[in-house]
């Protein structure tokens, strides 16, 4: 076992990482607030930032409650591992830990956007109309209840539970730093070949039709490029300005509704609005992608993007005819 020959658990520990990174992020957030004020850019709003803190506290509390369960499950599969890593395989072990974690997070993130059931949990990270580093703490509040299930393959491949969680925390810290408007998309030309940049993640948080459900990666952007979910940020001169938040802005931002609003919509669809429909159809309103409807009354992101593409092509053809 790798950790028995190399005493690294005292360093590669999620709790220690949070202990040192928390003051760093507090400083960065205050600096971003200061520069936003200096630039007279409204990147922050008090109630929105307070909501980010509220979400982070709930998420952290759930993380603590679920810590024992997640470690138990991951450790169980670690005992069934198919690889025993030796001390001289240190770099290969950690390469798998981080690359595997990043890929599995991409898959989890893809599921979060591809099923309304998971979207109801993940939507809390997207329901802010502001985009700043504190938005990175606007967590998918209930995600600790199931997140660890996606990481089981790593345990099965011989990565210890402690190190899986550490790799997750490191990658999330990097992703948090990508929640900023102060680094433009020119940065993506070189760093963005392999890695997620603020420009990439701005696209992910945008509610513009072209940008919906794009750039799911948190550390490496290569997964999006490989699996067809990549979208570069367009210049505002060539495209519309980025709009953050949901496609349908949230009216009730109370502390309960802001977490459970999509669950309430699912409940109303299943038990009230669509109760006349067969059970098989009503279940699709729970598990199909957000926006799915049996009658076309609402549309998924892919359907909306297909319509936008067709409309854009028609406009271009009209311009060519006129010229």
């Amino acid at each position: 076992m790798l950790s028995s020959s190399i005493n690294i658990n005292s360093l590669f520990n999620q709790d220690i990482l949070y202990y040192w990174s928390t003051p760093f992020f507090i400083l960065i957030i205050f600096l971003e607030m200061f520069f936003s004020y200096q630039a007279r850019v409204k990147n922050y709003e008090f109630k929105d930032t307070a909501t980010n803190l509220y979400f982070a506290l709930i998420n952290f509390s759930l993380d603590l409650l679920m810590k024992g369960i997640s470690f138990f499950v991951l450790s169980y599969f670690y005992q069934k591992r198919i690889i025993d890593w030796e001390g001289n395989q240190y770099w290969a072990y950690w390469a798998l830990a981080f690359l595997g974690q990043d890929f599995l997070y991409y898959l989890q993130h893809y599921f979060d956007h591809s099923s309304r059931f998971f979207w109801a949990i993940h939507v809390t990270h997207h329901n802010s109309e502001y985009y700043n580093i504190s938005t990175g703490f606007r967590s998918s509040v209930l995600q600790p209840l199931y997140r660890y299930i996606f990481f089981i393959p790593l345990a099965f491949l011989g990565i210890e539970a402690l190190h899986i969680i550490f790799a997750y925390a490191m990658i999330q810290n990097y992703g948090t730093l990508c929640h900023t408007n102060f680094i433009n998309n020119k940065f993506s030309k070189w760093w963005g070949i392999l890695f997620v940049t603020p420009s990439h993640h701005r696209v992910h948080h945008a509610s513009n039709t072209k940008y919906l459900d794009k750039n799911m990666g948190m550390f490496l952007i290569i997964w999006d490029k490989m699996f067809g979910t990549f979208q570069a940020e367009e210049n505002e001169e060539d495209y519309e300005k980025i709009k953050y938040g949901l496609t349908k802005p949230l009216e009730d931002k109370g502390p309960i509704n802001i977490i459970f609003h999509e669950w309430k919509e699912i409940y109303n669809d299943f038990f009230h609005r669509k109760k006349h429909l067969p059970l098989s159809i009503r279940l699709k309103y729970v598990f199909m992608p957000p926006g799915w409807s049996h009658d076309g009354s609402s549309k998924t992101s892919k359907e909306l993007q297909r319509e936008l593409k067709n409309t854009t092509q028609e406009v271009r053809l009209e311009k060519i005819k006129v010229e």
Side-chain angles (χ1 to χ4, degrees):
M1 185 171 64
L2 183 73
S3 60
S4 62
S5 58
I6 301 175
N7 186 21
I8 55 177
N9 285 348
S10 60
L11 294 176
F12 297 110
N13 186 299
Q14 179 192 26
D15 296 334
I16 293 174
L17 177 64
Y18 286 157
Y19 177 82
W20 289 106
S21 64
T22 298
F24 167 76
F25 278 111
I26 292 172
L27 175 62
I28 291 293
I29 287 169
F30 276 109
L31 283 173
E32 190 181 44
M33 285 180 176
F34 173 76
F35 286 120
S36 296
Y37 175 78
Q38 289 291 98
R40 297 184 179 180
V41 177
K42 193 171 176 59
N43 281 326
Y44 282 84
E45 191 267 340
F46 178 78
K47 288 184 179 179
D48 184 79
T49 306
T51 299
N52 297 341
L53 177 61
Y54 164 60
F55 281 7
L57 290 173
I58 296 176
N59 183 263
F60 181 72
S61 300
L62 265 180
D63 251 337
L64 289 178
L65 289 173
M66 293 300 298
K67 192 172 185 178
I69 295 174
S70 59
F71 268 79
F72 173 80
V73 171
L74 292 174
S75 296
Y76 172 81
F77 284 96
Y78 176 75
Q79 296 303 319
K80 308 290 183 182
R81 63 190 179 278
I82 59 174
I83 301 176
D84 276 311
W85 298 89
E86 302 298 332
N88 60 358
Q89 297 172 312
Y90 178 83
W91 293 109
Y93 176 89
W94 282 104
L96 177 62
F98 279 93
L99 288 174
Q101 172 60 247
D102 197 51
F103 174 66
L104 292 173
Y105 177 79
Y106 170 86
L107 289 182
Q108 178 208 305
H109 204 175
Y110 183 85
F111 272 99
D112 287 343
H113 283 256
S114 301
S115 169
R116 193 181 181 192
F117 181 85
F118 288 104
W119 174 246
I121 297 171
H122 184 58
V123 70
T124 55
H125 183 60
H126 284 268
N127 60 19
S128 171
E129 295 171 18
Y130 293 85
Y131 190 75
N132 52 63
I133 291 177
S134 77
T135 310
F137 293 93
R138 195 184 187 96
S139 57
S140 303
V141 177
L142 303 178
Q143 208 172 73
L145 296 173
Y146 68 90
R147 181 173 57 213
Y148 59 91
I149 295 172
F150 284 87
F151 307 151
I152 287 174
L154 274 181
F156 194 59
L157 290 173
I159 308 299
E160 291 187 56
L162 183 70
H163 302 155
I164 293 173
I165 302 302
F166 176 79
Y168 170 81
M170 281 289 289
I171 289 168
Q172 293 301 308
N173 275 359
Y174 174 84
T176 299
L177 291 172
C178 289
H179 292 78
T180 182
N181 283 309
F182 278 102
I183 300 177
N184 61 36
N185 59 7
K186 292 179 181 178
F187 183 64
S188 297
K189 289 184 179 179
W190 55 280
W191 185 255
I193 295 172
L194 292 177
F195 303 103
V196 174
T197 67
S199 174
H200 294 149
H201 208 63
R202 283 194 291 270
V203 166
H204 181 69
H205 274 261
S207 59
N208 310 63
T209 299
K210 186 174 184 178
Y211 293 154
L212 294 175
D213 298 338
K214 299 297 184 181
N215 299 354
M216 307 285 187
M218 185 57 66
F219 180 59
L220 295 174
I221 198 64
I222 58 174
W223 314 122
D224 291 286
K225 293 180 178 180
M226 288 170 60
F227 299 112
T229 52
F230 176 74
Q231 173 61 53
E233 182 181 12
E234 304 281 358
N235 293 322
E236 289 183 11
E237 293 80 9
D238 304 322
Y239 189 61
E240 61 186 311
K241 185 177 181 179
I242 281 185
K243 181 181 178 183
Y244 298 113
L246 306 178
T247 54
K248 182 181 178 183
L250 193 60
E251 294 181 7
D252 180 0
K253 296 182 180 179
I256 303 300
N257 191 67
I258 203 164
I259 294 176
F260 295 104
H261 59 91
E262 187 62 21
W263 289 110
K264 289 166 66 176
E265 290 299 309
I266 290 174
Y267 177 87
N268 287 331
D269 277 340
F270 192 86
F271 290 104
H272 298 295
R273 300 189 195 108
K274 318 296 182 187
K275 65 179 181 180
H276 60 286
L277 296 173
L279 178 62
S280 59
I281 299 296
R282 286 189 288 151
L283 284 172
K284 288 183 178 181
Y285 277 92
V286 179
F287 295 105
M288 289 293 280
W292 180 89
S293 63
H294 73 291
D295 57 2
S297 56
S298 60
K299 293 179 171 58
T300 66
S301 61
K302 289 182 179 178
E303 291 170 334
L304 291 170
Q305 286 164 354
R306 208 158 33 236
E307 287 183 355
L308 177 64
K309 185 178 180 180
N310 292 336
T311 302
T312 303
Q313 288 176 344
E314 289 174 4
V315 170
R316 285 175 180 171
L317 287 173
E318 287 297 322
K319 284 184 178 179
I320 292 171
K321 289 178 182 179
V322 171
E323 291 174 357

